[in-house]
Amino acid sequence: MKGFRFTKFVPSQDPEKNTFENLLNIFLQLVTMTGGDVAEALSWLTNLDNRYGMTNPTYGIGDFIEDLKSKGYLTEENQKGEFKITGKAEQTIRKSALEEIFGKLKRGKSGQHKTTHSGQGEERGTDRRAYEFGDNLDQIALTDSLRNAQANHGFGGDYLLTEDDLEVVENEFRSQTSTVLMIDISHSMILYGEDRITPAKKVAMALAELIKTRYPKDTLDIIVFGNDAWQIEIKDLPYLQVGPYHTNTVAGLELAMDLLRRRKNPNKQIFMITDGKPTCLKVGIKYYKNAFGIDSKILSETLKLAAQCRKLKIPVTTFMIASDPYLKEFVKEFTKVNNGNAYYSSLKGLGDLIFEDYRRNRTKRF
């Protein structure tokens, strides 16, 4: 009898390759945690190796470092001769974050998300309608049009197909969205024995990689805010560190609104990741600060900007990674004024929430 006999296939493994890939994954995680400090990350990796035996007699940390250099992840070509990660390593970190946080996207349909609006868009839909003057010929649903012709004119000797028989397939618009992601880098993001900045960085890198690969027409601007607010590039995310700052939410919102004014997309939104209340305000060249409770002066200015965003149809989605009751009250009031959304998230669920909100917002016009 002819046929095929299937047996279990066990591929041969390269111990050195497997060791490198495992170490690379851990190393990139450590680099993110150390804010891009390669020397500190390698020191942590060596300590982990001594404790858990991740290398073997034929492949050690020294071999791993040499492989990092030869494969283009590390470079010493700088003024100080220090180890620095390369652009390849930065991209790998973003891809790793995307895999870790938004891994379920691999099972989804490729392409961009669609709106509920139809017309002369970019992607063929499933709805049919009668042909109208000006429709592209490639929109004609041939099978449906021929069926209409047969039903309307019968099977006579001269086959007749008229304009009234034609049906076209509706094309669907792909929406474009401009997003500003605000990341709180105040000192509280590393207080109380909890590292909150690393998960925030991972989410930002995952969102950046998601937009670059699946929604290239969308825009993403990233802002960090402490005593002041400033814009950073996507490539700067692995190096982001918390400073001895208060929380100037007003400065962050002002910069976010300024960036979105320059964007021509109809859909605009702000995502804000924070773990606390606004505690700082810049008045002239001086800083007005109050870290004790919720200051009415700072709160008033923050709510004014929330209202301005609402008038400009820019919803603010706040991801509060803290659960203090009085902080919830602040977020509740801020969200009500802006008519936006708020989530009180643990660090573990932060990525899923941001992805779901981003995906949902892309399918509507604000």
Side-chain angles (χ1 to χ4, degrees):
M1 182 178 67
K2 294 184 178 180
F4 297 94
R5 182 184 297 271
F6 294 95
T7 59
K8 184 177 181 181
F9 173 68
V10 181
S12 59
Q13 296 185 355
D14 184 346
E16 291 191 2
K17 181 179 179 180
N18 291 335
T19 301
F20 173 78
E21 291 177 348
N22 292 335
L23 290 175
L24 177 63
N25 181 51
I26 297 171
F27 170 71
L28 294 178
Q29 296 276 357
L30 294 176
V31 167
T32 304
M33 295 176 66
T34 61
D37 190 329
V38 174
E40 186 175 4
L42 289 173
S43 176
W44 289 7
L45 184 64
T46 302
N47 291 332
L48 289 172
D49 180 39
N50 292 334
R51 183 169 181 177
Y52 297 105
M54 296 181 296
T55 60
N56 55 67
T58 61
Y59 190 89
I61 295 297
D63 297 311
F64 174 65
I65 294 174
E66 290 302 316
D67 281 347
L68 286 175
K69 292 191 291 184
S70 65
K71 295 177 186 294
Y73 292 99
L74 282 188
T75 180
E76 294 178 281
E77 297 179 2
N78 53 75
Q79 293 181 347
K80 297 182 179 180
E82 299 175 342
F83 281 133
K84 299 289 184 182
I85 60 174
T86 63
K88 178 180 179 180
E90 293 167 356
Q91 184 180 27
T92 304
I93 291 173
R94 293 196 302 270
K95 287 183 176 179
S96 176
L98 179 63
E99 179 101 6
E100 176 184 342
I101 296 172
F102 301 148
K104 59 186 175 184
L105 289 181
K106 293 186 296 183
R107 299 193 296 272
K109 181 180 179 182
S110 62
Q112 299 181 353
H113 291 299
K114 297 166 285 189
T115 70
T116 56
H117 302 273
S118 60
Q120 295 182 353
E122 302 175 358
E123 185 172 341
R124 291 177 69 86
T126 57
D127 295 335
R128 302 288 192 271
R129 62 170 173 80
Y131 174 84
E132 296 176 359
F133 180 77
D135 287 333
N136 294 325
L137 293 181
D138 59 1
Q139 286 183 255
I140 294 176
L142 184 59
T143 302
D144 298 292
S145 299
L146 292 175
R147 184 176 62 247
N148 292 339
Q150 292 175 355
N152 295 334
H153 310 295
F155 295 92
D158 295 329
Y159 188 83
L160 187 63
L161 177 68
T162 68
E163 181 178 333
D164 293 334
D165 302 322
L166 297 178
E167 286 190 16
V168 296
V169 182
E170 284 276 34
N171 283 357
E172 297 174 331
F173 283 110
R174 293 175 178 177
S175 66
Q176 296 181 12
T177 301
S178 291
T179 303
V180 172
L181 177 62
M182 295 172 51
I183 303 176
D184 185 351
I185 58 169
S186 62
H187 191 52
S188 61
M189 291 288 278
I190 56 171
L191 284 180
Y192 316 117
E194 186 173 34
D195 177 11
R196 296 170 175 173
I197 190 63
T198 298
K201 286 195 293 184
K202 284 186 178 182
V203 167
M205 289 187 288
L207 185 61
E209 192 66 15
L210 171 71
I211 291 174
K212 286 169 65 70
T213 55
R214 293 200 57 178
Y215 309 110
K217 294 184 179 180
D218 285 7
T219 64
L220 175 67
D221 294 295
I222 301 174
I223 291 173
V224 294
F225 62 105
N227 290 350
D228 297 287
W230 61 94
Q231 186 178 9
I232 64 172
E233 300 294 330
I234 292 174
K235 63 181 180 62
D236 299 326
L237 282 168
Y239 311 100
L240 188 60
Q241 294 182 340
V242 170
Y245 306 124
H246 288 260
T247 308
N248 192 343
T249 308
V250 168
L253 290 172
E254 287 177 339
L255 180 55
M257 293 168 63
D258 184 54
L259 291 172
L260 289 175
R261 284 191 189 99
R262 307 173 194 174
R263 302 298 185 183
K264 304 306 180 182
N265 293 341
N267 296 339
K268 301 177 181 182
Q269 61 185 345
I270 297 173
F271 288 165
M272 179 168 63
I273 303 175
T274 183
D275 71 336
K277 61 189 182 299
T279 60
C280 179
L281 193 65
K282 195 167 186 179
V283 182
I285 61 173
K286 296 183 178 181
Y287 293 96
Y288 175 84
K289 303 175 183 177
N290 183 6
F292 303 99
I294 296 181
D295 187 285
S296 59
K297 181 177 181 178
I298 299 175
L299 177 63
S300 175
E301 293 299 316
T302 305
L303 295 181
K304 282 182 183 178
L305 286 180
Q308 287 184 30
C309 285
R310 182 174 182 173
K311 289 181 181 178
L312 295 172
K313 297 183 179 180
I314 302 175
V316 181
T317 303
T318 305
F319 298 90
M320 175 62 74
I321 48 179
S323 57
D324 305 68
Y326 77 100
L327 293 180
K328 287 186 176 182
E329 286 300 317
F330 155 69
V331 173
K332 182 178 179 180
E333 187 173 2
F334 179 87
T335 304
K336 181 179 179 181
V337 171
N338 174 255
N339 196 29
N341 297 304
Y343 298 95
Y344 306 97
S345 170
S346 66
L347 294 173
K348 185 177 180 180
L350 182 61
D352 287 338
L353 284 176
I354 287 184
F355 164 63
E356 292 298 339
D357 207 68
Y358 176 77
R359 185 173 64 174
R360 181 172 61 253
N361 287 348
R362 291 197 83 260
T363 62
K364 64 183 179 183
R365 294 179 181 270
F366 297 118

